[in-house]
Amino acid sequence: MALKGTFNWFNSLHQGGRKAITFTLYCDNIFQSETFDCAIIDGSGQQPPQIRRQITLKAKQSFKFDFDSCGWDWCIGDYFAILGKNDKIQKRWDVDVKVYGSGECPDCHGTQRCKECNGSGTIYHKQIHSYSQCAICNGTGVCQTCYVPIRNGSNLAHQVMGNTQSLNSNQNRQRKINAIREEIVELQSKVEQAEWDRRMMQVRGTDISSRTVYSSHVSLIHQYKTRLIHLQSELQQLENMM
């Protein structure tokens, strides 16, 4: 049986462009096709296997097995198997992608955060005061250099649980930082507008003719500035924790 298999990375369209694994099975025969049974198996035993019967691959033809083509999201420990009589495994290919050791990733050095967005999943554009999804990690916030899909409950998942919890904590902190930054920009705009309105009131004499209205406006400016000071202090504390 001249079947060859390889695992590779691809961007899953059905998962919004997220980085995922695909398995390609190729028939290396020159003329003859191959007909076989096969199975995709979760090495941790949590997911039921996908078994396919009487698949035919023509000579030099290939099939891809991944989330987009068959709904299987490959994780470390999974494998693809060719089945023989009584479903005995004749040949298998285990998920084979590089796994970095702790702190070995050349981009994140073990933080598991995307270096482009620092784990937030979003990019802040100062010129237009808005955010967009990070194009490098597709909004996941995860470093794409050392990312490997791990199924919850597997042995490898237990090994990295501490790192994952730390990553989630950092992601939540970064989301809060982004939200505070947005509110600061909005408040600064409100203060500028309110100060302009106050000066116009003085020019028109509203500060004398309508003292109550003018006082309420000054009080509103004070509230804005007080809130701004509080947010800037909170932002500094959060940024120091990153």
Side-chain angles (χ1 to χ4, degrees):
M1 183 174 286
L3 294 174
K4 296 183 177 180
T6 57
F7 285 98
N8 293 288
W9 292 107
F10 84 115
N11 294 105
S12 172
L13 295 177
H14 291 184
Q15 299 182 85
R18 182 175 70 81
K19 184 179 179 183
I21 295 174
T22 183
F23 177 73
T24 303
L25 190 66
Y26 175 71
C27 179
D28 198 32
N29 289 332
I30 298 177
F31 302 110
Q32 184 180 353
S33 64
E34 294 280 0
T35 299
F36 54 90
D37 296 339
C38 63
I40 302 174
I41 299 173
D42 168 14
S44 68
Q46 299 178 72
Q47 300 285 340
Q50 276 194 17
I51 299 176
R52 297 171 181 270
R53 304 291 185 185
Q54 295 299 294
I55 290 181
T56 298
L57 265 180
K58 296 179 181 179
K60 303 304 179 183
Q61 185 185 18
S62 64
F63 282 168
K64 289 184 179 297
F65 300 85
D66 50 49
F67 188 86
D68 290 4
S69 64
C70 66
W72 189 272
D73 198 10
W74 291 97
C75 292
I76 297 297
D78 295 354
Y79 60 93
F80 185 93
I82 301 297
L83 304 178
K85 187 176 181 180
N86 298 321
D87 286 343
K88 183 179 180 180
I89 295 176
Q90 290 185 333
K91 190 173 183 178
R92 62 182 275 179
W93 293 266
D94 291 76
V95 170
D96 181 22
V97 294
K98 182 175 179 58
V99 179
Y100 285 92
S102 178
E104 292 181 353
C105 177
D107 285 338
C108 74
H109 306 290
T111 67
Q112 299 182 334
R113 296 196 300 266
C114 171
K115 66 177 183 179
E116 185 71 16
C117 64
N118 197 32
S120 68
T122 57
I123 301 295
Y124 178 62
H125 306 282
K126 293 182 179 179
Q127 298 84 352
I128 56 177
H129 305 304
S130 67
Y131 290 83
S132 65
Q133 178 176 289
C134 178
I136 301 300
C137 66
N138 288 289
T140 64
V142 178
C143 175
Q144 297 300 284
T145 301
C146 63
Y147 165 75
V148 291
I150 302 171
R151 189 164 284 110
N152 291 334
S154 67
N155 291 333
L156 188 55
H158 290 307
Q159 293 174 18
V160 301
M161 185 62 71
N163 290 337
T164 302
Q165 290 174 345
S166 175
L167 173 62
N168 291 337
S169 176
N170 287 329
Q171 287 178 330
N172 291 335
R173 190 178 295 115
Q174 186 63 52
R175 291 190 188 99
K176 190 170 184 179
I177 286 174
N178 291 340
I180 290 175
R181 284 174 178 167
E182 286 184 347
E183 189 174 352
I184 285 175
V185 170
E186 183 180 353
L187 273 174
Q188 288 173 334
S189 178
K190 288 181 178 180
V191 168
E192 290 177 3
Q193 183 61 49
E195 288 285 10
W196 171 261
D197 292 341
R198 182 182 63 80
R199 290 193 292 270
M200 290 300 98
M201 285 182 177
Q202 291 175 329
V203 170
R204 293 192 296 266
T206 306
D207 56 329
I208 298 175
S209 61
S210 300
R211 190 67 185 176
T212 302
V213 174
Y214 180 77
S215 297
S216 296
H217 195 77
V218 171
S219 177
L220 180 62
I221 294 174
H222 177 70
Q223 292 176 25
Y224 284 158
K225 290 184 176 180
T226 301
R227 176 62 178 165
L228 198 55
I229 292 171
H230 173 76
L231 287 173
Q232 288 170 336
S233 175
E234 187 177 358
L235 177 62
Q236 184 177 8
Q237 291 177 8
L238 287 170
E239 288 179 334
N240 289 339
M241 295 170 65
M242 294 298 288

